[in-house]
Amino acid sequence: ASEEVSRLEAVGFRDVQLRICNVINFFDILTKPRAARINAAVIKLLEKGDLWGAQLLLCRAVAKVRGVPLTSLRRSSCLFDGSSKLSAQDQVARYFISTGTSALTRP
């Protein structure tokens, strides 16, 4: 993620924004509505910086599928990397959407 931002800044873009496009593959998004909703919800939580909320959502889904209590999936640390602004995005995103403002002006 940070490499993508650096690459865009190096070629003259400013105010670079990097967003997660998806965390699962496109086939699953297109063919499995429930997976698409989970994908969208996880992205929304991660972009808000709610790493623990994203982890809780995924743990609830796993607990339901496996038929185990949610408490059996408790962790003392977050599975998402919150060490920098872009670290969680870099960790989970299969594809990014990059936007920025061009430093070039038209005559």
Side-chain angles (χ1 to χ4, degrees):
S2 59
E3 293 86 10
E4 175 71 2
V5 171
S6 297
R7 185 183 66 76
L8 289 170
E9 290 173 341
V11 296
F13 286 92
R14 62 178 190 269
D15 303 322
V16 175
Q17 300 292 316
L18 194 67
R19 299 193 59 192
I20 300 169
C21 179
N22 61 309
V23 296
I24 62 175
N25 68 53
F26 287 114
F27 178 79
D28 287 338
I29 292 170
L30 294 173
T31 60
K32 301 172 184 169
R34 183 174 292 158
R37 287 192 303 273
I38 292 170
N39 180 73
V42 168
I43 290 171
K44 189 174 187 178
L45 289 166
L46 291 173
E47 287 187 342
K48 288 186 340 186
D50 188 358
L51 306 181
W52 282 101
Q55 179 169 321
L56 178 60
L57 174 67
L58 293 173
C59 285
R60 283 182 175 159
V62 169
K64 185 173 183 173
V65 168
R66 292 180 60 199
V68 298
L70 182 60
T71 56
S72 69
L73 301 174
R74 283 200 179 158
R75 294 179 52 110
S76 60
S77 61
C78 188
L79 62 98
F80 296 110
D81 181 2
S83 63
S84 74
K85 181 181 175 186
L86 298 174
S87 58
Q89 291 178 345
D90 195 30
Q91 182 182 8
V92 302
R94 292 179 65 90
Y95 299 98
F96 295 116
I97 298 171
S98 308
T99 60
T101 306
S102 175
L104 302 176
T105 57
R106 293 185 178 171

XYZ file of all heavy atoms in Angstrom:
824
model
N 0.825 -1.181 0.000
C 0.000 0.000 0.000
C 0.875 1.253 0.000
O 0.647 2.163 -0.797
C -0.940 -0.006 1.183
N 1.847 1.293 0.877
C 2.704 2.479 0.927
C 3.519 2.622 -0.351
O 3.804 3.734 -0.793
C 3.618 2.434 2.153
O 4.420 1.286 2.127
N 3.858 1.487 -0.981
C 4.595 1.544 -2.250
C 3.730 2.167 -3.349
O 4.210 2.918 -4.179
C 5.061 0.150 -2.687
C 6.107 -0.462 -1.802
C 5.509 -1.209 -0.615
O 4.274 -1.411 -0.569
O 6.282 -1.591 0.279
N 2.444 1.843 -3.363
C 1.517 2.402 -4.340
C 1.387 3.907 -4.155
O 1.437 4.679 -5.109
C 0.137 1.739 -4.221
C -0.934 2.321 -5.102
C -0.769 2.018 -6.582
O 0.187 1.301 -6.961
O -1.577 2.512 -7.371
N 1.262 4.359 -2.919
C 1.177 5.794 -2.629
C 2.468 6.479 -3.060
O 2.441 7.512 -3.736
C 0.885 6.042 -1.133
C 1.013 7.516 -0.794
C -0.504 5.524 -0.769
N 3.604 5.894 -2.714
C 4.900 6.474 -3.091
C 5.064 6.543 -4.606
O 5.560 7.541 -5.138
C 6.046 5.653 -2.504
O 6.010 5.678 -1.113
N 4.636 5.502 -5.301
C 4.739 5.471 -6.763
C 3.917 6.597 -7.393
O 4.394 7.305 -8.284
C 4.256 4.111 -7.284
C 4.435 3.910 -8.771
C 3.866 2.570 -9.223
N 2.425 2.482 -9.092
C 1.554 3.064 -9.931
N 1.988 3.764 -10.944
N 0.264 2.929 -9.745
N 2.709 6.803 -6.904
C 1.860 7.858 -7.454
C 2.418 9.247 -7.130
O 2.385 10.149 -7.970
C 0.425 7.721 -6.939
C -0.338 6.533 -7.506
C -1.647 6.331 -6.762
C -0.591 6.718 -8.992
N 2.934 9.413 -5.934
C 3.532 10.697 -5.561
C 4.790 10.968 -6.380
O 5.052 12.105 -6.774
C 3.832 10.728 -4.063
C 2.578 10.791 -3.228
C 2.822 10.645 -1.740
O 3.896 10.145 -1.327
O 1.924 11.033 -0.978
N 5.556 9.935 -6.680
C 6.792 10.093 -7.449
C 6.527 10.563 -8.886
O 7.373 11.218 -9.486
C 7.573 8.782 -7.471
N 5.354 10.227 -9.425
C 5.042 10.658 -10.794
C 4.214 11.942 -10.820
O 3.695 12.321 -11.863
C 4.356 9.549 -11.624
C 5.298 8.378 -11.817
C 3.044 9.114 -11.006
N 4.090 12.610 -9.677
C 3.494 13.935 -9.663
C 2.106 14.086 -9.077
O 1.549 15.178 -9.100
N 1.521 13.017 -8.553
C 0.197 13.155 -7.949
C 0.339 13.607 -6.505
O 1.308 13.310 -5.828
C -0.564 11.827 -8.003
C -1.055 11.482 -9.371
C -0.280 10.718 -10.221
C -2.288 11.932 -9.812
C -0.724 10.395 -11.492
C -2.747 11.618 -11.079
C -1.960 10.847 -11.928
N -0.641 14.348 -6.045
C -0.670 14.778 -4.645
C -2.029 14.400 -4.070
O -2.940 14.037 -4.802
C -0.395 16.271 -4.529
C -1.408 17.147 -5.202
C -1.064 18.638 -4.991
N -2.163 19.446 -5.441
C -2.301 19.920 -6.661
N -1.368 19.707 -7.562
N -3.352 20.637 -6.988
N -2.176 14.500 -2.774
C -3.417 14.115 -2.089
C -3.842 12.695 -2.484
O -5.016 12.429 -2.755
C -4.554 15.094 -2.396
C -4.204 16.525 -2.027
O -3.536 16.710 -0.994
O -4.590 17.439 -2.768
N -2.887 11.794 -2.521
C -3.157 10.418 -2.941
C -4.003 9.719 -1.879
O -3.690 9.762 -0.695
C -1.850 9.638 -3.188
C -2.131 8.187 -3.499
C -1.044 10.295 -4.299
N -5.081 9.101 -2.321
C -5.961 8.320 -1.454
C -5.930 6.881 -1.935
O -5.992 6.624 -3.132
C -7.397 8.843 -1.525
C -7.553 10.281 -1.111
C -7.290 10.478 0.370
O -7.747 9.701 1.200
N -6.539 11.509 0.706
N -5.824 5.977 -1.021
C -5.788 4.559 -1.360
C -6.945 3.886 -0.640
O -7.077 3.996 0.570
C -4.461 3.952 -0.913
C -4.112 2.601 -1.463
C -3.864 2.698 -2.960
C -2.881 2.066 -0.783
N -7.808 3.222 -1.396
C -8.962 2.546 -0.809
C -8.918 1.077 -1.181
O -8.406 0.707 -2.230
C -10.252 3.172 -1.324
C -10.334 4.654 -0.929
C -11.661 5.233 -1.130
N -12.632 4.494 -0.333
C -13.924 4.640 -0.486
N -14.394 5.470 -1.381
N -14.757 3.940 0.246
N -9.483 0.266 -0.339
C -9.559 -1.167 -0.596
C -10.677 -1.407 -1.602
O -11.796 -0.947 -1.411
C -9.842 -1.940 0.705
C -8.735 -1.701 1.726
C -10.021 -3.424 0.425
C -9.061 -2.213 3.115
N -10.383 -2.122 -2.656
C -11.403 -2.487 -3.636
C -12.133 -3.744 -3.175
O -13.354 -3.783 -3.157
C -10.767 -2.702 -5.007
S -11.920 -3.182 -6.284
N -11.397 -4.763 -2.819
C -12.004 -5.979 -2.290
C -10.977 -6.776 -1.495
O -9.784 -6.614 -1.670
C -12.628 -6.833 -3.402
C -11.623 -7.299 -4.417
O -10.861 -6.505 -4.947
N -11.617 -8.581 -4.698
N -11.518 -7.623 -0.601
C -10.652 -8.478 0.213
C -10.798 -9.947 -0.160
O -10.033 -10.778 0.304
C -10.888 -8.281 1.733
C -10.522 -6.875 2.155
C -12.317 -8.605 2.135
N -11.799 -10.265 -0.966
C -11.960 -11.630 -1.490
C -11.960 -11.539 -3.009
O -12.019 -10.449 -3.576
C -13.239 -12.315 -0.955
C -14.493 -11.556 -1.384
C -13.177 -12.496 0.546
C -15.793 -12.238 -1.002
N -11.930 -12.671 -3.670
C -11.826 -12.613 -5.127
C -13.151 -12.199 -5.778
O -14.228 -12.363 -5.212
C -11.287 -13.924 -5.707
C -12.239 -15.078 -5.556
O -13.389 -14.995 -5.937
N -11.743 -16.167 -5.001
N -13.050 -11.660 -6.998
C -14.222 -11.145 -7.710
C -15.255 -12.232 -7.992
O -16.458 -11.972 -7.964
C -13.801 -10.466 -9.027
C -13.144 -9.138 -8.818
C -11.817 -8.957 -9.150
C -13.840 -8.066 -8.300
C -11.198 -7.739 -8.972
C -13.244 -6.835 -8.106
C -11.919 -6.662 -8.447
N -14.824 -13.438 -8.279
C -15.763 -14.516 -8.553
C -16.701 -14.732 -7.371
O -17.917 -14.848 -7.540
C -15.020 -15.818 -8.896
C -15.947 -16.969 -9.142
C -16.592 -17.095 -10.366
C -16.185 -17.908 -8.152
C -17.476 -18.155 -10.593
C -17.060 -18.966 -8.371
C -17.708 -19.086 -9.599
N -16.132 -14.784 -6.163
C -16.967 -14.968 -4.973
C -17.900 -13.779 -4.757
O -19.051 -13.950 -4.358
C -16.101 -15.192 -3.737
C -15.457 -16.561 -3.717
O -15.984 -17.476 -4.394
O -14.433 -16.722 -3.029
N -17.414 -12.578 -5.014
C -18.253 -11.387 -4.857
C -19.438 -11.440 -5.823
O -20.571 -11.121 -5.459
C -17.430 -10.104 -5.080
C -16.410 -9.930 -3.943
C -18.331 -8.877 -5.181
C -15.398 -8.844 -4.187
N -19.182 -11.867 -7.053
C -20.223 -11.879 -8.069
C -21.195 -13.050 -7.938
O -22.340 -12.956 -8.385
C -19.585 -11.895 -9.462
C -18.811 -10.635 -9.829
C -18.075 -10.843 -11.149
C -19.726 -9.432 -9.900
N -20.757 -14.145 -7.353
C -21.601 -15.339 -7.324
C -22.167 -15.688 -5.957
O -23.047 -16.538 -5.860
C -20.827 -16.567 -7.846
O -19.677 -16.780 -7.011
C -20.384 -16.367 -9.289
N -21.679 -15.036 -4.913
C -22.134 -15.356 -3.560
C -22.543 -14.069 -2.842
O -21.689 -13.368 -2.279
C -21.023 -16.064 -2.791
C -20.575 -17.360 -3.457
C -19.358 -17.940 -2.790
C -18.912 -19.180 -3.557
N -17.609 -19.630 -3.134
N -23.825 -13.744 -2.855
C -24.285 -12.483 -2.260
C -23.870 -12.293 -0.804
O -23.512 -11.187 -0.399
C -25.808 -12.555 -2.396
C -26.047 -13.513 -3.515
C -24.922 -14.500 -3.455
N -23.898 -13.357 -0.024
C -23.514 -13.229 1.389
C -22.029 -12.858 1.505
O -21.641 -12.008 2.298
C -23.806 -14.516 2.145
C -23.491 -14.388 3.628
C -23.920 -15.604 4.398
N -25.373 -15.646 4.390
C -26.071 -16.755 4.587
N -25.476 -17.901 4.796
N -27.385 -16.717 4.575
N -21.192 -13.495 0.692
C -19.760 -13.168 0.701
C -19.546 -11.718 0.273
O -18.689 -11.027 0.830
C -18.999 -14.116 -0.224
N -20.321 -11.252 -0.694
C -20.200 -9.861 -1.150
C -20.568 -8.898 -0.032
O -19.906 -7.866 0.148
C -21.088 -9.632 -2.370
N -21.596 -9.218 0.740
C -21.990 -8.342 1.856
C -20.918 -8.336 2.948
O -20.611 -7.282 3.522
C -23.340 -8.782 2.424
C -24.509 -8.451 1.512
C -25.854 -8.627 2.196
N -26.082 -9.964 2.734
C -26.585 -10.984 2.051
N -26.914 -10.828 0.788
N -26.755 -12.161 2.629
N -20.352 -9.493 3.238
C -19.280 -9.555 4.240
C -18.066 -8.776 3.759
O -17.458 -8.014 4.515
C -18.915 -11.019 4.569
C -20.080 -11.694 5.305
C -17.638 -11.102 5.391
C -19.934 -13.187 5.469
N -17.713 -8.930 2.488
C -16.601 -8.190 1.896
C -16.805 -6.680 2.082
O -15.911 -5.975 2.535
C -16.493 -8.546 0.413
C -15.373 -7.828 -0.298
O -14.206 -8.132 -0.102
N -15.722 -6.867 -1.143
N -17.997 -6.198 1.740
C -18.296 -4.763 1.847
C -18.244 -4.289 3.297
O -17.714 -3.210 3.590
C -19.662 -4.471 1.236
N -18.769 -5.100 4.214
C -18.780 -4.715 5.626
C -17.366 -4.673 6.206
O -17.020 -3.749 6.951
C -19.652 -5.685 6.417
N -16.543 -5.651 5.865
C -15.161 -5.669 6.355
C -14.398 -4.450 5.816
O -13.677 -3.781 6.568
C -14.446 -6.986 5.974
C -12.944 -6.901 6.216
C -15.031 -8.146 6.758
N -14.567 -4.156 4.544
C -13.896 -2.986 3.953
C -14.321 -1.711 4.665
O -13.487 -0.873 5.011
C -14.178 -2.898 2.448
C -13.448 -4.015 1.711
C -13.768 -1.529 1.889
C -13.839 -4.153 0.254
N -15.617 -1.563 4.902
C -16.124 -0.360 5.571
C -15.500 -0.200 6.961
O -15.061 0.882 7.337
C -17.644 -0.437 5.664
C -18.299 0.813 6.139
C -19.820 0.670 6.047
C -20.494 1.975 6.365
N -21.951 1.874 6.234
N -15.438 -1.289 7.714
C -14.846 -1.231 9.052
C -13.358 -0.914 8.993
O -12.856 -0.089 9.767
C -15.082 -2.553 9.784
C -16.525 -2.808 10.215
C -16.717 -4.268 10.616
C -16.929 -1.871 11.343
N -12.637 -1.551 8.081
C -11.195 -1.310 7.976
C -10.907 0.118 7.537
O -9.972 0.746 8.041
C -10.558 -2.304 7.003
C -10.513 -3.754 7.479
C -10.010 -4.663 6.368
C -9.657 -3.899 8.727
N -11.690 0.655 6.613
C -11.447 2.024 6.165
C -11.763 3.047 7.247
O -11.197 4.129 7.257
C -12.224 2.302 4.884
C -11.600 1.591 3.704
C -12.216 1.963 2.376
O -13.341 2.506 2.358
O -11.570 1.688 1.358
N -12.656 2.693 8.170
C -12.926 3.570 9.313
C -11.851 3.420 10.383
O -11.836 4.160 11.351
C -14.292 3.261 9.916
C -15.441 3.710 9.064
C -16.820 3.550 9.708
C -16.937 2.604 10.828
N -18.306 2.400 11.317
N -10.977 2.433 10.213
C -9.943 2.183 11.212
C -10.405 1.295 12.348
O -9.726 1.156 13.363
N -11.571 0.670 12.205
C -12.109 -0.202 13.244
C -11.609 -1.633 13.023
O -12.350 -2.515 12.580
C -13.641 -0.144 13.222
C -14.280 -0.880 14.391
O -13.536 -1.471 15.213
O -15.524 -0.881 14.465
N -10.351 -1.870 13.340
C -9.738 -3.178 13.127
C -10.377 -4.255 13.988
O -10.608 -5.372 13.531
C -8.237 -3.107 13.389
C -7.450 -2.034 12.618
C -5.970 -2.100 12.972
C -7.675 -2.157 11.142
N -10.675 -3.912 15.250
C -11.297 -4.891 16.145
C -12.724 -5.215 15.692
O -13.177 -6.343 15.819
C -11.292 -4.388 17.583
C -9.959 -4.544 18.237
C -9.025 -3.569 18.423
C -9.397 -5.739 18.769
N -7.915 -4.092 19.050
C -8.115 -5.415 19.272
C -9.841 -7.052 18.873
C -7.297 -6.362 19.868
C -9.022 -7.993 19.474
C -7.762 -7.651 19.961
N -13.429 -4.223 15.156
C -14.777 -4.470 14.637
C -14.751 -5.416 13.452
O -15.606 -6.304 13.329
N -13.776 -5.236 12.570
C -13.633 -6.135 11.420
C -13.310 -7.547 11.893
O -13.852 -8.528 11.374
C -12.541 -5.615 10.477
N -12.445 -7.648 12.888
C -12.101 -8.968 13.421
C -13.320 -9.626 14.060
O -13.567 -10.820 13.856
C -10.973 -8.839 14.445
C -10.578 -10.185 15.052
C -9.300 -10.098 15.848
O -8.373 -9.416 15.453
N -9.253 -10.791 16.966
N -14.110 -8.856 14.804
C -15.306 -9.403 15.440
C -16.299 -9.905 14.386
O -16.861 -10.993 14.523
C -15.965 -8.357 16.329
C -17.265 -8.777 17.018
C -17.048 -9.982 17.924
C -17.842 -7.603 17.800
N -16.493 -9.132 13.328
C -17.398 -9.544 12.262
C -16.954 -10.871 11.645
O -17.759 -11.794 11.465
C -17.476 -8.465 11.183
C -18.276 -8.820 9.938
C -19.747 -8.971 10.263
C -18.071 -7.771 8.875
N -15.675 -10.982 11.342
C -15.158 -12.226 10.757
C -15.242 -13.390 11.737
O -15.574 -14.512 11.345
C -13.723 -12.022 10.276
C -13.570 -11.056 9.091
C -12.106 -10.791 8.818
C -14.271 -11.599 7.866
N -14.966 -13.131 13.013
C -15.053 -14.194 14.021
C -16.491 -14.684 14.174
O -16.727 -15.885 14.327
C -14.511 -13.710 15.364
S -12.712 -13.605 15.411
N -17.442 -13.759 14.116
C -18.852 -14.171 14.198
C -19.211 -15.074 13.033
O -19.922 -16.073 13.200
C -19.753 -12.945 14.216
C -19.783 -12.243 15.537
C -20.715 -11.063 15.518
N -20.807 -10.463 16.843
C -21.208 -9.235 17.064
N -21.566 -8.462 16.049
N -21.266 -8.769 18.284
N -18.743 -14.722 11.840
C -19.027 -15.542 10.656
C -18.399 -16.930 10.787
O -19.042 -17.942 10.501
C -18.521 -14.844 9.400
N -17.153 -16.975 11.243
C -16.468 -18.262 11.415
C -17.168 -19.096 12.485
O -17.383 -20.301 12.298
C -14.975 -18.045 11.773
C -14.325 -19.343 12.216
C -14.232 -17.444 10.593
N -17.548 -18.481 13.583
C -18.231 -19.212 14.658
C -19.542 -19.796 14.155
O -19.878 -20.948 14.464
C -18.475 -18.287 15.844
N -20.270 -19.025 13.358
C -21.540 -19.521 12.830
C -21.327 -20.702 11.880
O -22.008 -21.715 11.971
C -22.283 -18.389 12.111
C -23.642 -18.788 11.637
C -24.412 -17.617 11.077
C -25.809 -18.065 10.692
N -26.651 -16.970 10.293
N -20.354 -20.572 10.989
C -20.085 -21.640 10.024
C -19.600 -22.908 10.732
O -20.009 -24.014 10.386
C -19.058 -21.178 8.967
C -18.531 -22.336 8.143
C -19.668 -20.123 8.060
N -18.725 -22.737 11.697
C -18.167 -23.904 12.394
C -19.075 -24.449 13.485
O -18.840 -25.530 14.016
C -16.807 -23.539 13.004
C -15.756 -23.288 11.927
C -14.417 -22.927 12.484
N -13.893 -23.993 13.325
C -12.942 -23.835 14.215
N -12.392 -22.650 14.388
N -12.518 -24.848 14.932
N -20.098 -23.677 13.861
C -21.006 -24.119 14.916
C -20.372 -24.124 16.284
O -20.672 -24.986 17.108
N -19.485 -23.167 16.526
C -18.817 -23.070 17.823
C -19.182 -21.734 18.460
O -19.554 -20.786 17.770
C -17.277 -23.195 17.684
C -16.900 -24.547 17.106
C -16.701 -22.077 16.832
N -19.065 -21.643 19.787
C -19.354 -20.356 20.427
C -18.309 -19.306 20.049
O -17.129 -19.637 19.845
C -19.313 -20.664 21.923
C -18.677 -21.990 22.059
C -18.741 -22.686 20.747
N -18.745 -18.080 19.964
C -17.848 -16.974 19.620
C -16.681 -16.879 20.598
O -15.556 -16.578 20.201
C -18.633 -15.658 19.592
C -17.879 -14.396 19.213
C -17.292 -14.517 17.807
C -18.797 -13.180 19.285
N -16.930 -17.189 21.850
C -15.862 -17.105 22.862
C -14.698 -18.041 22.578
O -13.580 -17.801 23.012
C -16.415 -17.403 24.270
O -17.056 -18.680 24.247
C -17.397 -16.337 24.712
N -14.950 -19.107 21.818
C -13.867 -20.045 21.507
C -12.873 -19.456 20.504
O -11.792 -20.001 20.304
C -14.424 -21.358 20.965
O -14.987 -21.165 19.679
N -13.249 -18.340 19.897
C -12.373 -17.707 18.907
C -11.700 -16.439 19.434
O -11.098 -15.705 18.675
C -13.184 -17.362 17.645
C -13.851 -18.547 16.949
C -14.730 -18.058 15.815
C -12.812 -19.517 16.431
N -11.805 -16.198 20.710
C -11.211 -14.982 21.286
C -9.706 -14.975 21.135
O -9.041 -15.993 21.278
C -11.565 -14.857 22.764
C -12.959 -14.396 22.957
C -13.139 -13.836 24.321
N -14.521 -13.374 24.441
C -15.134 -13.220 25.565
N -14.523 -13.471 26.695
N -16.369 -12.805 25.596
N -9.201 -13.782 20.867
C -7.759 -13.564 20.767
C -7.400 -12.385 21.648
O -8.183 -11.459 21.798
C -7.364 -13.246 19.329
C -7.560 -14.380 18.357
C -7.163 -13.956 16.968
N -5.828 -13.379 16.943
C -4.774 -13.954 16.399
N -4.889 -15.124 15.837
N -3.601 -13.362 16.401
N -6.208 -12.397 22.170
C -5.787 -11.279 23.011
C -5.209 -10.144 22.176
O -5.035 -9.042 22.663
C -4.764 -11.751 24.042
O -3.630 -12.284 23.381
N -4.907 -10.413 20.915
C -4.382 -9.360 20.055
C -5.152 -9.348 18.741
O -5.710 -10.353 18.319
C -2.889 -9.585 19.778
O -2.702 -10.817 19.125
N -5.178 -8.198 18.122
C -5.913 -8.047 16.866
C -5.134 -8.715 15.742
O -3.916 -8.599 15.647
C -6.109 -6.565 16.560
S -7.204 -6.265 15.172
N -5.844 -9.411 14.868
C -5.162 -10.067 13.763
C -4.783 -9.085 12.656
O -3.962 -9.379 11.813
C -5.986 -11.234 13.211
C -7.344 -10.950 12.602
C -7.226 -10.862 11.086
C -8.268 -12.096 12.935
N -5.371 -7.893 12.666
C -5.027 -6.882 11.671
C -3.893 -6.006 12.180
O -3.836 -5.661 13.356
C -6.242 -6.019 11.329
C -7.343 -6.797 10.677
C -8.515 -7.051 11.347
C -7.190 -7.298 9.388
C -9.530 -7.780 10.752
C -8.201 -8.031 8.791
C -9.370 -8.263 9.473
N -3.016 -5.630 11.288
C -1.849 -4.812 11.618
C -2.249 -3.342 11.639
O -2.605 -2.776 10.625
C -0.758 -5.052 10.566
C 0.511 -4.274 10.826
O 0.587 -3.566 11.854
O 1.434 -4.382 10.002
N -2.184 -2.737 12.799
C -2.528 -1.331 12.935
C -1.315 -0.447 13.141
O -1.433 0.665 13.650
N -0.144 -0.906 12.728
C 1.091 -0.169 13.010
C 1.247 1.118 12.200
O 2.019 1.983 12.570
C 2.307 -1.074 12.780
O 2.384 -1.476 11.422
N 0.524 1.243 11.093
C 0.560 2.492 10.326
C -0.784 2.688 9.656
O -1.646 1.800 9.669
C 1.672 2.455 9.266
O 1.302 1.610 8.187
N -0.961 3.850 9.047
C -2.225 4.184 8.406
C -2.591 3.191 7.300
O -3.755 2.859 7.107
C -2.138 5.603 7.836
C -3.394 6.079 7.176
C -3.218 7.470 6.612
C -4.461 7.882 5.851
N -4.294 9.146 5.167
N -1.612 2.683 6.589
C -1.870 1.815 5.447
C -1.610 0.332 5.712
O -1.851 -0.494 4.847
C -1.023 2.266 4.250
C -1.291 3.675 3.727
C -0.283 4.035 2.644
C -2.708 3.791 3.202
N -1.130 -0.012 6.890
C -0.715 -1.398 7.129
C -1.867 -2.398 7.032
O -1.703 -3.473 6.456
C 0.007 -1.528 8.462
O -0.826 -1.098 9.517
N -3.027 -2.086 7.591
C -4.156 -3.022 7.508
C -4.628 -3.163 6.067
O -4.951 -4.254 5.616
C -5.307 -2.581 8.403
N -4.652 -2.063 5.331
C -5.046 -2.131 3.921
C -4.074 -3.003 3.147
O -4.477 -3.828 2.331
C -5.099 -0.739 3.308
C -6.227 0.102 3.856
C -6.225 1.488 3.269
O -5.258 1.943 2.668
N -7.323 2.190 3.450
N -2.802 -2.822 3.405
C -1.775 -3.612 2.729
C -1.915 -5.094 3.079
O -1.686 -5.965 2.252
C -0.400 -3.090 3.132
C 0.703 -3.575 2.225
O 0.443 -3.818 1.035
O 1.835 -3.706 2.705
N -2.325 -5.375 4.289
C -2.442 -6.748 4.772
C -3.602 -7.494 4.120
O -3.496 -8.673 3.843
C -2.633 -6.720 6.289
C -2.716 -8.074 6.946
C -2.961 -7.947 8.441
O -3.211 -6.873 8.975
N -2.895 -9.067 9.124
N -4.716 -6.823 3.863
C -5.923 -7.538 3.446
C -6.366 -7.329 2.003
O -7.074 -8.159 1.458
C -7.132 -7.204 4.356
C -6.837 -7.546 5.791
C -7.544 -5.762 4.203
N -5.988 -6.229 1.395
C -6.551 -5.894 0.088
C -5.998 -6.773 -1.029
O -4.794 -6.954 -1.145
C -6.300 -4.429 -0.239
N -6.899 -7.308 -1.835
C -6.488 -8.017 -3.040
C -6.251 -6.996 -4.153
O -5.400 -7.184 -5.000
C -7.556 -9.021 -3.454
C -7.694 -10.171 -2.474
C -8.762 -11.139 -2.894
N -8.466 -11.830 -4.123
C -7.811 -12.985 -4.220
N -7.354 -13.552 -3.138
N -7.621 -13.561 -5.384
N -7.044 -5.938 -4.165
C -6.913 -4.862 -5.158
C -7.170 -3.537 -4.468
O -7.966 -3.457 -3.542
C -7.931 -5.037 -6.300
C -7.753 -6.319 -7.054
C -8.529 -7.423 -6.765
C -6.777 -6.435 -8.039
C -8.355 -8.620 -7.439
C -6.600 -7.633 -8.714
C -7.387 -8.717 -8.413
O -7.203 -9.895 -9.070
N -6.489 -2.493 -4.940
C -6.672 -1.145 -4.423
C -7.326 -0.264 -5.473
O -7.229 -0.522 -6.667
C -5.320 -0.486 -4.097
C -4.560 -1.136 -2.984
C -3.339 -1.727 -3.228
C -5.043 -1.123 -1.694
C -2.612 -2.314 -2.207
C -4.333 -1.709 -0.668
C -3.110 -2.300 -0.923
N -7.953 0.793 -5.013
C -8.402 1.873 -5.881
C -7.570 3.076 -5.468
O -7.613 3.508 -4.316
C -9.896 2.180 -5.681
C -10.737 0.963 -6.031
C -10.302 3.394 -6.516
C -12.197 1.097 -5.666
N -6.784 3.610 -6.404
C -5.907 4.733 -6.111
C -6.441 5.986 -6.788
O -6.792 5.954 -7.966
C -4.498 4.463 -6.650
O -4.027 3.226 -6.208
N -6.492 7.067 -6.046
C -6.879 8.349 -6.622
C -5.913 9.409 -6.139
O -5.281 9.268 -5.103
C -8.316 8.750 -6.221
O -8.385 8.850 -4.790
C -9.338 7.747 -6.713
N -5.801 10.461 -6.903
C -4.930 11.572 -6.539
C -5.221 12.754 -7.426
O -5.952 12.663 -8.411
N -4.631 13.861 -7.092
C -4.770 15.076 -7.868
C -3.500 15.285 -8.671
O -2.404 15.229 -8.108
C -5.004 16.296 -6.930
O -6.123 16.006 -6.097
C -5.239 17.562 -7.711
N -3.656 15.509 -9.956
C -2.484 15.710 -10.812
C -1.874 17.080 -10.545
O -2.584 18.069 -10.416
C -2.890 15.608 -12.280
O -1.781 15.907 -13.108
N -0.562 17.097 -10.487
C 0.152 18.361 -10.316
C 0.259 19.119 -11.627
O 0.625 20.285 -11.658
C 1.541 18.099 -9.744
N -0.048 18.454 -12.717
C 0.016 19.081 -14.041
C -1.191 19.976 -14.258
O -2.308 19.649 -13.857
C 0.058 18.008 -15.128
C 1.205 17.018 -15.054
C 1.043 15.953 -16.135
C 2.528 17.725 -15.208
N -0.970 21.094 -14.906
C -2.084 21.987 -15.223
C -2.168 22.119 -16.734
O -1.171 22.074 -17.439
C -1.880 23.386 -14.596
O -0.655 23.912 -15.063
C -1.880 23.312 -13.097
N -3.376 22.275 -17.218
C -3.568 22.450 -18.651
C -3.481 23.927 -19.005
O -3.966 24.768 -18.258
C -4.930 21.891 -19.068
C -4.989 20.395 -18.902
C -6.279 19.897 -19.424
N -6.284 18.433 -19.302
C -7.315 17.687 -19.506
N -8.457 18.223 -19.860
N -7.240 16.376 -19.391
N -2.912 24.246 -20.203
C -2.815 25.657 -20.604
C -4.160 26.265 -20.926
O -5.121 25.666 -21.171
C -1.933 25.628 -21.849
C -1.811 24.194 -22.263
C -2.296 23.345 -21.126
